[in-house]
Amino acid sequence: MSTAIAMAAPAVVLGGLLLWLINWYFHEQKSGGSAVQKKSRGSQLPPVPEVPGLPVIGNALQLREGTPHMTFAKLAKKYGPIFSIRVGSKPIIVVNSEDIAKEAMVTRFSSITRKNLSKTLSRAAFDRKMVALCDYGDFHKTAKRHLTHNVVGPNAQKQHRVHRDTLMDDVVKDFHAHVKNHGLQPVNFRDIYSSDIFGLALKEAIGRDVEYINVEELGRISRPEILKILLTDPVEIALQYVDLGDYFPYLKWIPQKNFERKVEKMYSRRLAVMKALIKEQTKRAASGEEMNNCYLKYLLAEGKTLTEKEITSLVWEVIIESSDTTMITTEWALFELAKNPKIQERLCEEIRSICGSDKVTEDNLCQLPFLDAVFHETLRKYPALPMVPLRYVNEDIKLGGYYIPAGSEIAINLYGCNMNEKQWERPDEWNPDRFLDGKKEYVPNDLYKTMAFGAGKRLCAGSQQGVVVGSTTIGRLVQEFEWRLENGEEKDVDIIGIATMKLRPMHAVIRPRNL
């Protein structure tokens, strides 16, 4: 009897909690809601999609597919470019229009500055000690100044040009090696490109590529394991694991031990590897060996106000952002080109007409408008980060003509902005010609052709390098090879969680061209 009671106890507790929450919800509705809601009576709030299921759950069931940016884009067709949803206890204002997004990120920036990261994402982001994911303030300004000066600014880009040229040569060499060794056997694009671009990221961040590293906590680990620990594992944790307590605060007491262990394991392994890399490079510098012009060297010399943890986080940020986002866009671009042979040949002809038998380089980009269109159309349809992390509204504002009360959270759906039928004709189609319609003067590497890089003071700091590296890689690989997909590969468009990375790496058959 006592065993039966013990087994039933959790169900009784959960049942009682659920009844209390439902009672609380209807009491709030009957009493007119919160003080903020009462204050806003007479003001027009954004429309609210119909809520399925239990009222406590809110719109969570509408997000069950795990791709909220796509779900929000669909809801925008019915409810307009700005609407309000509730996930658990959180009311969230969702923006799916470029004009309203720019209003939020530029005009209303001072009222919407603080980012709200889930516990998982915050931990994956070194507890918010990153330029891209920290709140706007003194640390952001200082860190972004360091990043611009040494990595992504115009002068820094000139200094790192040699590393990018080496990347292009290495990528082409590795794909030619595949053809030599495996003939027409399909190549896993991601295996080759992610490894090569990881090398570029390491050179910019710590001054050199590495084949292995001795880590006190983990022993001697090879380069593929370093890549996994620094890139693959943090991205997987951030995108695939959700802490229910972030959305349902009243469930924070429910233990999620397995989930928490995975997060902490990822964090500790990544921290151990980063410390080992920094320690080794610092030791080399102390012995008189040149560290090259890298971010770590700069931060150790100039970042006197930064803590050890902040330096570690900022160096890691360069590694992941130089590797991951560019790889996502480049893989999708070659996927679409392989799926559309006529467009691929058109691009090849443009490159041939400008470069002849010479290799396409960064210097040619301003002469290749169709290559630029291919890159930006890919970025429009497959933005590497489809949604901006949630931001708090600091004060009552109007946005898109609607009243937004202080305390609300804003979700800017960049994917939804780029899929807005009022701005883009047939947005589901991949069509580079939409950027060559003659309505605007062609501007090479224009970052504002889509919302993929954000806008305003929080515009992606590394956007220019992303455009240059991605565009040059696409041009060089199309110049060197003819790309074709395996049978059925063109239907493989599944993505990973809340990102736009292909769930499965692209496999393509490549044939060297006669240059």
Side-chain angles (χ1 to χ4, degrees):
M1 185 67 175
S2 58
T3 302
I5 293 174
M7 294 178 63
V12 172
V13 172
L14 287 175
L17 176 64
L18 184 58
L19 288 174
W20 177 85
L21 289 170
I22 293 174
N23 179 68
W24 167 84
Y25 177 87
F26 284 113
H27 178 268
E28 286 290 304
Q29 299 302 307
K30 184 177 181 181
S31 63
S34 67
V36 171
Q37 289 173 318
K38 292 175 183 177
K39 179 182 177 181
S40 67
R41 285 177 177 172
S43 301
Q44 187 178 12
L45 295 166
V48 181
E50 296 177 3
V51 180
L54 293 172
V56 173
I57 295 176
N59 297 88
L61 293 181
Q62 290 170 300
L63 306 179
R64 62 187 179 275
E65 295 177 356
T67 52
H69 56 285
M70 292 184 174
T71 301
F72 292 156
K74 292 176 183 177
L75 290 173
K77 293 181 180 180
K78 181 176 181 181
Y79 296 99
I82 179 171
F83 54 83
S84 177
I85 67 165
R86 180 180 290 272
V87 180
S89 65
K90 289 189 175 184
I92 301 173
I93 310 300
V94 183
V95 174
N96 296 272
S97 156
E98 179 176 328
D99 292 337
I100 302 176
K102 286 182 178 178
E103 183 182 353
M105 290 191 280
V106 181
T107 309
R108 304 295 183 188
F109 177 78
S110 61
S111 302
I112 315 172
T113 60
R114 183 185 171 198
K115 293 196 173 186
N116 179 26
L117 305 184
S118 68
K119 186 168 70 175
T120 305
L121 186 55
S122 180
R123 198 64 168 148
F126 266 106
D127 299 324
R128 305 169 72 94
K129 295 301 182 181
M130 294 174 58
V131 175
L133 295 177
C134 67
D135 290 334
Y136 187 76
D138 291 340
F139 175 77
H140 177 270
K141 294 175 184 177
T142 299
K144 188 171 183 179
R145 184 177 69 251
H146 290 321
L147 180 65
T148 301
H149 187 277
N150 187 258
V151 182
V152 298
N155 291 333
Q157 286 290 288
K158 290 178 182 178
Q159 294 172 346
H160 290 301
R161 170 69 183 268
V162 61
H163 298 321
R164 298 195 300 276
D165 288 344
T166 300
L167 165 68
M168 297 304 146
D169 291 339
D170 288 345
V171 169
V172 170
K173 180 182 68 176
D174 288 341
F175 279 106
H176 275 298
H178 170 85
V179 174
K180 180 179 179 180
N181 296 327
H182 304 286
L184 296 180
Q185 181 178 333
V187 61
N188 182 322
F189 173 82
R190 196 180 301 172
D191 273 356
I192 292 178
Y193 191 61
S194 63
S195 178
D196 286 337
I197 202 168
F198 181 57
L200 167 68
L202 289 175
K203 291 174 184 176
E204 290 185 337
I206 63 173
R208 61 191 291 268
D209 199 352
V210 295
E211 291 302 320
Y212 66 88
I213 186 75
N214 292 312
V215 182
E216 183 177 348
E217 298 87 341
L218 305 174
R220 182 185 175 100
I221 60 174
S222 64
R223 191 174 185 279
E225 187 66 12
I226 296 172
L227 190 155
K228 182 177 185 299
I229 291 173
L230 295 187
L231 297 182
T232 308
D233 290 349
V235 171
E236 179 180 325
I237 287 287
L239 298 183
Q240 295 190 13
Y241 293 97
V242 177
D243 185 347
L244 293 178
D246 289 323
Y247 296 96
F248 302 89
Y250 37 78
L251 298 183
K252 283 183 178 293
W253 61 274
I254 298 179
Q256 294 180 276
K257 296 299 183 183
N258 289 337
F259 167 71
E260 292 171 359
R261 277 195 291 267
K262 287 181 180 180
V263 173
E264 288 307 311
K265 179 181 178 181
M266 174 278 297
Y267 184 88
S268 62
R269 283 162 58 87
R270 181 188 55 179
L271 183 60
V273 171
M274 284 303 304
K275 284 185 175 180
L277 288 171
I278 291 174
K279 181 179 179 180
E280 181 176 297
Q281 295 310 104
T282 305
K283 187 183 299 183
R284 288 175 179 273
S287 66
E289 185 174 335
E290 176 59 41
M291 287 180 68
N292 298 322
N293 180 40
C294 65
Y295 196 33
L296 174 60
K297 178 182 178 181
Y298 172 83
L299 290 177
L300 292 175
E302 302 296 332
K304 301 300 185 182
T305 63
L306 298 173
T307 66
E308 180 183 2
K309 180 179 181 180
E310 288 169 345
I311 290 176
T312 302
S313 175
L314 293 175
V315 172
W316 176 75
E317 180 177 15
V318 166
I319 294 174
I320 189 169
E321 291 182 0
S322 297
S323 304
D324 197 57
T325 54
T326 304
M327 193 280 295
I328 291 173
T329 304
T330 306
E331 183 176 34
W332 279 118
L334 287 165
F335 172 84
E336 290 287 357
L337 288 166
K339 194 170 69 172
N340 296 276
K342 291 183 179 179
I343 296 179
Q344 183 181 165
E345 289 309 306
R346 179 179 167 187
L347 174 58
C348 188
E349 283 299 317
E350 179 187 67
I351 295 171
R352 192 176 290 123
S353 69
I354 296 300
C355 302
S357 59
D358 295 333
K359 298 173 183 177
V360 62
T361 69
E362 295 178 14
D363 300 326
N364 303 124
L365 296 183
C366 62
Q367 302 169 289
L368 300 168
F370 192 61
L371 172 58
D372 184 75
V374 165
F375 178 84
H376 280 93
E377 172 63 354
T378 304
L379 205 61
R380 180 196 67 80
K381 188 176 180 183
Y382 306 103
L385 184 67
M387 287 187 63
V388 175
L390 296 176
R391 296 183 183 182
Y392 283 112
V393 179
N394 308 328
E395 57 189 359
D396 294 354
I397 62 171
K398 274 205 166 184
L399 189 63
Y402 290 100
Y403 169 80
I404 310 296
S408 302
E409 292 181 279
I410 302 287
I412 298 174
N413 186 12
L414 301 181
Y415 173 85
C417 295
N418 293 335
M419 287 289 154
N420 189 333
E421 293 179 345
K422 292 184 177 180
Q423 181 182 1
W424 305 100
E425 183 178 355
R426 295 189 296 276
D428 289 336
E429 294 182 10
W430 184 80
N431 176 22
D433 276 326
R434 71 174 77 248
F435 289 101
L436 298 174
D437 58 9
K439 293 180 181 179
K440 295 181 180 179
E441 181 181 354
Y442 169 64
V443 180
N445 302 328
D446 180 7
L447 301 180
Y448 290 97
K449 292 181 179 180
T450 70
M451 289 296 296
F453 292 116
K457 294 180 180 180
R458 295 304 295 254
L459 179 74
C460 176
S463 53
Q464 193 64 60
Q465 175 167 296
V467 173
V468 169
V469 172
S471 297
T472 308
T473 302
I474 295 164
R476 187 77 182 275
L477 289 178
V478 168
Q479 182 186 39
E480 295 273 352
F481 302 97
E482 176 187 342
W483 293 76
R484 293 290 184 269
L485 296 176
E486 281 191 288
N487 291 334
E489 177 81 18
E490 67 277 359
K491 298 178 181 178
D492 187 6
V493 294
D494 293 337
I495 63 174
I496 296 177
I498 59 173
T500 54
M501 180 184 288
K502 280 183 101 281
L503 179 61
R504 290 167 288 273
M506 176 183 73
H507 288 78
V509 176
I510 57 175
R511 298 173 183 269
R513 298 182 189 270
N514 295 320
L515 299 179

